[in-house]
Amino acid sequence: MAGSKAAWGIEVGSYAVKALRLERNGDQLVVSDFGEFAHKKPLSTPDLDVDEMIRLTLGQLVSQKNFEKEKIVMCVEGRSSLPRFAKLPPVEPKKVPDIIRFEAQQQIPFPIEEVEWDAKVFESEDSPETEVGIFAIKKDELNHRIAMWGEHDLAPKTVTLGPVAVFNAVHYDLGGAGRKPFVVLDIGTRSSDLVVVDGDNCWIRTFPIGGSDFTEAIAETFKLPYSKAERLKKESGTSKYAKQIMQAMRPVFTDLLEGVQRSISFYENSHRGVRIETVLGVGSTFKIPGLRKFLGAQLGLNVARFDEFRRLQVEGRVASDFAGHSVSMATAYGLALQGLGESEIDVNLAPSEVLRELAWSSKSKWFVAAAGVALAASGLMFVGPIAARSSLGAGMVRGQTEVQNVVRLAKKHSSEIDRISSEAAIGFTASNFERLLEDREVWPHLVTDAMNAVASAKPQAVLLGSDLEEIRKIDPTDRRLLMLEDLGATYSTDGQSRFMQVEMQLAFATDLNPPVSFINDTVGRFVNDLAGKTREGVPYVVVQGSFSSNPGDLATVTVGADGSRSTTGGIGSGSRESSAPGRGAGSAAGRGGGGGAGMGAGGGMGPGGGVGAAGGAGQPGKRRPAGGGGFVDTGGDMGIGSSGGGFAGNRGGGGGSGFGGNRGGNNAWESGGSASGGSRKEAEGGVNLDTEAPIPGEPQLYSEGDVFHVARVTFTVKLVDETTADSGV
């Protein structure tokens, strides 16, 4: 679809501000101008005033490029956005918008009125299923960005997400239909976006590993300031210490690899028949020597760089310079394409009030031009009055511009006040901790409701007994049995009321398609029946429409001949396989809180699983050393590290003392400063725990070849005081 004749795409990245101007010349798109303006310090630099650094770099951009009367498209980076994907039920076309809005309310973890969001429906001739991509960002964060851009008279009519722009660039340049699905990996400074290009369909996952993690690894290894470590990273290809630098960065390489592998596995498992064979790299981090080779060898995939744009014409003085910057221009490329009406995904998150301001601004100028036409067509007797009106119109335009500047400045100051207030609210934090004691009566009721929700499946009487043989006589798919694997909740507030988002992890077997239908017909119906009702003595009310069972979180577990469990899909991640029969399904792989929990359908843990301990929790996907607390995934062994000692996998444990586990499942107590992994030989003066204190296996409800599922459901409750609950308000 043809659009404007020219457009700027501007990306405010953590390392630099990148801008690209595309101009339409017949059927050809021409790069007529571009610029890459590096921040004086990367935005990941510790103790940096990020907003001020962005202002300085934007000032440099607008001083060298002319954006007056130009169409501008800008974006928000993936780590600040909320992309969600869901499959739509078969409904009439006129009901699709309502279904999409319902899905948005379920998928977005904030009240819908607090976010700007847009959606794109994906349909394929090869599949009867219809998917929807929901793209959102919190309003306060977006308004803060727009106010900052407005200080430099950058007023984009379109705002989208960085990874969406990357998809649009690659889809346009390489073509979508007819190509095998492939991955675009955009390694930014503070996070990485993995974008699957599957024909005209898109899927996005962002994980918090970026170029700054490589810098921090070098700084920590060589005890260097951040700025010197950043310079050393850039020079790693030619440095005489290249080998030592690469060794320092290896743990980050490994974390990045694991994030990519989990994301690809998840997509392949949730899209039957899809196999990813190619990865395209974009972003300046891909200039690190050895990164492509390492990823290609470890992933077993073809890894290339997206640094040559086939469908863009680059001529004249621009051509010689553009080639060296193209690998970091993919996002700006996609933004400019959207400005020209050439993007596959045309979502726009610009707030309606901003669009309204821009529309009225352009109409005001039209009114002035109309006054000029009237002046030319009128007699001289009207010159004086019409000239006065024209002058008034021009004054209105200038006045309106000043008003807009004041509004933007007010938004900026409002955001600053909110930030300062939140940082200064120490007393409120203490009060909130104290108020946790007030809610100690909540949990007994939550546990009761959770058990009643599980019981709503109405299990057969024999399933409630202890005769395992009788239970096994019932086909697993005929058992109306739900097993509660985990129950937890997260507190939140909207400033007036307090809420808890309750999460249940459930194991079950069914032949329904999709399997979560069993959950929706039992637990979902029970929770929805409670919604909005006050009950005597119950200190909360279930929020209407808050129940959610995301099919994308479903793990499917197959029981092997030796009792082992093979898992596909997973809660929050890809697939993981458990090799410990009798210890659970090992279904929910992934990293959270410094390590990845692998809770199974029997309550056990799969290999590599771990729960971040207090003091060791970190960002998802971040590796924590064993001596720093928290679980450490050692590529197949389960380990726990703590500040003075603890459990550790076969690559080494925490300082002081610790248990060392190995792949065979044996454990040995070791002390004296390290734990290098257990073995069948007892450590000197130690005890073989498998012999002295064996852990019994749990009863096996499933036999070889049986298949069951593990799902995660959530719903929200609003806390009410005892008076309100008793009065039925």
Side-chain angles (χ1 to χ4, degrees), residues 558 564-568 575-580 585-587 589 605-608 636:
T558 303
S564 62
R565 313 292 177 89
S566 177
T567 305
T568 58
S575 62
R576 190 65 72 95
E577 185 170 302
S578 171
S579 59
S587 61
M605 295 186 181

Side-chain angles (χ1 to χ4, degrees), residues 213-234:
D213 295 288
F214 292 98
T215 305
E216 290 172 1
I218 295 172
E220 183 176 346
T221 300
F222 300 110
K223 310 303 179 186
L224 295 174
Y226 188 91
S227 58
K228 290 186 178 180
E230 178 72 17
R231 186 167 63 251
L232 196 61
K233 180 184 73 175
K234 294 178 182 179

